[in-house]
Amino acid sequence: MTGRSRFVSAADVAERAGVSRSAVSRAYTPGAHVSAETRRRIYAAAEELGYRVNRLARSLHQPRSDLVGVVGANLANPYISAQLAALSAALQRRRLQCLLLNTAGSGPGAQEDLARLLDYRVRTVVLLSGAAPDALIRLCAQNGARMVLINRPAPPEGAAADLILADSAEGGRLAAARLRAAGCRNVAVVISASRTSAKLDRARAFAEDMARHGVPVTRWAKGENSYQTGVEAARALLARPGIDGIFGVTDEIALGVLNTARAEMGRRVPDDLSVIGFDDAPVSAWASHGLTTVAQSLEALTAATLEAIDCAPEAPPLHLRLPVALVERSSVALAAHRHDVIVP
Amino acid sequence: MTGRSRFVSAADVAERAGVSRSAVSRAYTPGAHVSAETRRRIYAAAEELGYRVNRLARSLHQPRSDLVGVVGANLANPYISAQLAALSAALQRRRLQCLLLNTAGSGPGAQEDLARLLDYRVRTVVLLSGAAPDALIRLCAQNGARMVLINRPAPPEGAAADLILADSAEGGRLAAARLRAAGCRNVAVVISASRTSAKLDRARAFAEDMARHGVPVTRWAKGENSYQTGVEAARALLARPGIDGIFGVTDEIALGVLNTARAEMGRRVPDDLSVIGFDDAPVSAWASHGLTTVAQSLEALTAATLEAIDCAPEAPPLHLRLPVALVERSSVALAAHRHDVIVP
DNA sequence: CTGTTAGCGCATTCAC
DNA sequence: GTGAATGCGCTAACAG
């Protein structure tokens, strides 16, 4: 069709419509002036040829692109996938494009893969999983891209990145208080092995709060952030009697615990064991689970992310702390009755 | 830093390293020859400045880009998210970038949003949800991009698109046979309202096979492809006794049915009611569900998609039919005993 | 092996 | 309002 290239270009359209290339360019530039007749002929020619403005070429002129890099690892995780669904839909509404990077597929070269996002001149890099090495944050700054960290640990120091954090400490305390109210006297917290991120904060706040009230806490920290980790934790922790409450730092983990406790370890939940999670993933509300959990609002998270994305490149970093709330369902005992404890 | 632009360019690096721009370009081009010393100085300068090759500009020269457009609507759906996770990881391994489009966020302008993917000169458009209007398929062809349809209806005719289909008919028959083996004599199939896609084929094959064996089938086709649709179907279908087997054309739907049957409608599954799904989403294997289902292999699906992506633009369209297999779990009764039926 | 030149597709001056 | 010329950042074909 075009002769010289696979793609149809503005020159092709110009020739077809009998106008100059500049006219074509103007016809697709919002602020430009073209006569109605010229525009009509250009659009007609474009339609026939299947012409589309090449945004790759266009972006060479613009100070920043419409590309937003989104980085995740556990894309099949119920909460992460809900996050991604909400974020990508919101980006779509703003006419921003989402360049998705799944670091689970990148092996040891993850750092390099992350950097490669910048090759596409993304205006922002949003991190849903993993950590942000300061080298990468510096790279972003040098290339005029903002970096948004969602429930990630704060960067080393001085490194400028937007921070969006659900209130992990408050969430950990809420979970602890709720289990105590249920009369639990010997609890466990299940974390994955990941040493980064908000998950540690949730666990720490939980443990501290329990310690302050004299309740012993067993820590289980192996595996990745997955359902399977919850399964294995439950098998180990419930092998013998004792534990009467478990906090999974993630709904997915907590659901692994919950299901294994019931199906394999012969526990009645919440009668013998109370289980509580963190996230409020859609699946936690299903009748098969009824997981009591600490909710972080997806809407608030998405709105905050968009706010960060809208920031000018040189604007000072944003630090947003999002509130959390306890969602009561049926995986935690209603009140203390098995131990004759007075709820504070 | 650079003076003229936000981004650091090859010219900046060249100046800093005391070489020409071409040398910089060559240092980053796989097949090119640069002396070790020159390369070292260039890399050093690039490191200091935070230089990265601008792939947007680079792609102006290349016949096709490294961008693959991936289109989905229900990104939070358990199976779709698993699909996306597998696909994006695989793309990552191939050094291909994933441009994600969530059509759920685009409202009525979905068609235009889809077309906008081509503005980025994606080499391939992969459709996970929704339909492919022939106008769009034509547009792809005109722009040298292939279109890959996964479990989508075949395009009108002559329109060239790669088709990757799990064997819906076989799956529907497997589900029917399994329910009959369980002794079901009055069954229902739950479809969403979507008139497109493989879901209809699954339901049709199921219904035909049942009809052939004289088993009446109730059709329930409202709502979208979601858990909630399964919930509402179960409420309606199980309001009075009669139905003893339900086929959900999607695991998510089937799980809505399963959970509602148990928790709200007082049915014991599989004793009073057998439930079977389609997909084999990870969550279906959880102990809380134990959903018997028709599995389409994620690995096979991903491999097939990559095969299509690897095709040259002018290669003839691919038509791949992927086998399905029944995965036995605990949501379907073991054998016919309630009705004294001989299993064929 | 290196630097110079041209051109990718586009937006944006500048004349007319 | 329109067309010709320039430059965005890069690669490739050219000469040295």
Side-chain angles (χ1 to χ4, degrees), chain B residues 126-137:
Chain B
V126 179
L127 231 60
L128 261 30
S129 313
D134 41 348
L136 191 66
I137 297 183

Side-chain angles (χ1 to χ4, degrees), chain A residues 143-211:
Chain A
N143 283 283
R146 292 184 78 96
M147 166 152 282
V148 182
L149 270 27
I150 300 191
N151 284 334
R152 305 289 97 208
E157 74 167 55
D162 298 315
L163 242 46
I164 300 180
L165 299 165
D167 195 335
S168 298
E170 173 67 6
R173 268 179 257 120
L174 283 174
R178 186 61 189 84
L179 287 188
R180 273 186 279 107
C184 298
R185 320 213 52 183
N186 186 6
V187 302
V189 55
V190 181
I191 333 172
S192 61
S194 100
R195 296 177 303 115
T196 70
S197 101
K199 297 201 275 299
L200 281 185
D201 294 335
R202 300 170 188 176
R204 188 181 320 118
F206 176 85
E208 284 175 2
D209 195 76
M210 282 300 195

